[in-house]
Amino acid sequence: NRLLARAPRFRLSAEELRDGALSVSGLLNPEIGGPSVFPYQPANYLSSIGKGWKESNGGALYRRGLYTFWRRTMLYPSFQIFDAPSREFCSVTRPRTNTPLQALVTLNDPAFVEAARVFGQRIMTEGGSDDGERLSFAFTAATSRPPNPAELSVLSATLAEQRAVYASDPGSAGRLVKNGRAAILPGVDVTELASWTALSNILLNLDETITRE
């Protein structure tokens, strides 16, 4: 401890997880202030209490989690899964749990899948001219450090596997890249984008990505 500073290692909070995925993808709207927003939500949410959920449009969909609307006793579901407290009482600290439901959220929630898809598109347009450069760019964007040779090898093999999967099932690739409202760049190869989307989803779910090291 005389030479190194250290601090506890813990998973990011509910809002930070979503904000982080949006930021890495380039979707995060940094606007400050204004009314609450209504991002993607499960069908019929709030119907049990006779309320509706009017989904936001445009940039409002990608506001920071701080601005997401929730009722005092009915939290935004993905935040609840990641231990956000209700607003019935003042909460000084939040518990931190690790459950399979949390992985299901970050792998399948529309906000995270769309973030992965747009991140994949960003990798294809900004990451470089070949797979090696793009994989290094993607890993660094997600974890804030370059991959080592072993990690690069695993990423390369995973990308090749995803390309084979989507090349044999173009319909599945098409359905994957339709997630979310963010536009797909004209002329983008759907199979290639689906492959990078799948890889991006993995990177956004890495323990190192979602944990404060």
Side-chain angles (χ1 to χ4, degrees), residues 132-153:
E133 291 180 355
R134 290 177 175 180
L135 289 171
S136 293
F137 171 85
F139 190 90
T140 303
T143 67
S144 300
R145 69 170 179 85
N148 61 43
E151 291 165 335
L152 199 57
S153 177

Side-chain angles (χ1 to χ4, degrees), residues 61-105:
L61 275 173
Y62 313 114
R63 296 290 304 278
R64 292 167 57 203
L66 173 69
Y67 299 106
T68 298
F69 174 86
W70 74 47
R71 298 184 67 82
R72 183 166 56 89
T73 57
M74 295 187 71
L75 284 65
Y76 185 61
S78 68
F79 289 175
Q80 183 177 20
I81 296 297
F82 283 100
D83 308 312
S86 73
R87 290 178 173 170
E88 295 173 271
F89 306 99
C90 179
S91 179
V92 178
T93 60
R94 295 185 182 188
R96 284 194 175 87
T97 63
N98 288 287
T99 74
L101 286 176
Q102 294 166 351
L104 290 173
V105 169

Side-chain angles (χ1 to χ4, degrees), residues 12 15-26 28 112 115 141 204 209:
L12 299 178
E15 295 90 341
E16 289 171 334
L17 283 169
R18 178 177 173 275
D19 291 356
L22 293 177
S23 179
V24 171
S25 70
L28 186 67
F112 286 91
L204 293 178
T209 303

Side-chain angles (χ1 to χ4, degrees), residues 6 11 22 29 38 40 51 129-130 144 154 175 189 198-199 202 206:
R6 63 188 178 89
R11 194 200 65 234
L22 293 177
N29 180 349
F38 299 80
Y40 302 121
K51 303 291 183 179
S129 58
D130 58 46
S144 300
V154 171
R175 289 190 294 273
D189 183 275
L199 185 80
I202 293 171
L206 289 177

Side-chain angles (χ1 to χ4, degrees), residues 26 33-34 43 49 76 83 99 122 154 158 186-187 192 197 205:
I49 58 171
Y76 185 61
D83 308 312
T99 74
R122 181 186 171 205
V154 171
T158 302
E192 188 71 2
T197 297
N205 276 273

